[in-house]
Amino acid sequence: MLLLTALATAAVEALNWVFTDDAGFALFVRTGWALLRSLGFLVLIWHVRRQRPGAWPFALVLTVTTLFALARLVIPREGRPHAAGIAGFVVVAVLCGVVLWMVWRPGVITRPVTVRIAALSYSPIMLVASMVALEPVFGGRVEALPAVIVWFVAAIVVSYAVLLVAFFHRRGRLWAQTAYTIITLPVIAIHVPFTWWLLGTDGLLRDAAPLLLAAVVVLTGPRAPRSPAAPAASRPRPT
């Protein structure tokens, strides 16, 4: 089922590129990233086969972001979406729902893992949006190039910062949630204004909304459970 979902997602993304009349640089970047992220289902297969506790949150974030990415490909900037694109989106949505139902294991506490995965999605979303913003730069808005460079570099820095915090968050450090908040606030402050300035309202819906959704998950997430302390060694009783 996971492999079928990955193939169906890639097929719909490729067909949408073929059927779109005004396919430009922005759609090329978003389609390329969407095809690349379809490989995430192969990673999910690895998690499911090993019955790892992170399979459910990874499946949740992957399916939701997949539907976001596919929706922003299917819906054109102007006019109505193609009927084939809508039908493909419905098929992928049904497959994603079945995947979530099959992966779900009741009683497994995975919200801290969901927070980590949502935070790890910051950098890819920012990278794709900053690359799409090169289109208006190529179109004559050369003055926006420094902002695009800052945007791109910020995405790289965020990726390393989140990886570092995730390392300690996984080990139950209580300060990790505060660190996530410190990272999330400047991410929103950079990504949302740059998206509105360079990509307009269309960019806010396609590129800012997924990041804001991930930010809500991170900011409202629970603190990581503290790792249980090792029992103290008992002293020998005097004889």
Side-chain angles (χ1 to χ4, degrees):
M1 182 58 67
L2 290 172
L3 185 59
L4 176 62
T5 304
L7 293 176
T9 303
V12 173
E13 291 158 355
L15 289 175
N16 181 73
W17 170 264
V18 174
F19 288 130
T20 302
D21 298 327
D22 57 344
F25 179 76
L27 184 62
F28 172 76
V29 172
R30 291 191 174 107
T31 301
W33 165 244
L35 289 172
L36 182 62
R37 65 189 308 285
S38 297
L39 298 176
F41 286 97
L42 301 181
V43 180
L44 180 57
I45 291 174
W46 181 84
H47 280 273
V48 171
R49 285 182 174 179
R50 286 158 179 77
Q51 299 182 353
R52 297 175 64 89
W56 161 250
F58 185 75
L60 178 62
V61 175
L62 180 62
T63 53
V64 170
T65 54
T66 294
L67 293 178
F68 257 109
L70 192 58
R72 65 184 183 182
L73 292 178
V74 171
I75 300 175
R77 294 183 178 180
E78 297 179 358
R80 297 180 179 180
H82 198 278
I86 296 177
F89 178 82
V90 172
V91 171
V92 173
V94 172
L95 290 174
C96 287
V98 174
V99 166
L100 289 178
W101 176 74
M102 295 179 65
V103 175
W104 167 247
R105 294 294 180 270
V108 179
I109 301 175
T110 55
R111 286 192 64 190
V113 185
T114 308
V115 169
R116 287 197 295 270
I117 297 175
L120 289 171
S121 68
Y122 288 168
S123 181
I125 294 174
M126 296 175 69
L127 285 173
V128 171
S130 63
M131 293 179 65
V132 171
L134 289 174
E135 184 177 38
V137 173
F138 295 153
R141 297 180 61 182
V142 183
E143 73 280 358
L145 182 58
V148 174
I149 295 175
V150 170
W151 199 357
F152 185 87
V153 173
I156 300 297
V157 173
V158 166
S159 66
Y160 285 102
V162 170
L163 283 174
L164 180 62
V165 175
F167 175 81
F168 291 101
H169 185 248
R170 188 173 182 180
R171 282 153 179 77
R173 300 298 186 268
L174 298 181
W175 54 266
Q177 185 65 33
T178 303
Y180 279 137
T181 303
I182 295 174
I183 295 174
T184 300
L185 295 180
V187 163
I188 296 175
I190 293 174
H191 185 75
V192 175
F194 280 10
T195 301
W196 177 76
W197 178 41
L198 296 174
L199 303 180
T201 306
D202 180 76
L204 287 176
L205 297 175
R206 297 175 188 266
D207 300 294
L211 185 137
L212 290 175
L213 178 62
V216 170
V217 174
V218 173
L219 294 177
T220 59
R223 295 181 178 271
R226 185 183 295 275
S227 301
S234 57
R235 297 181 179 179
R237 295 182 180 180
T239 56

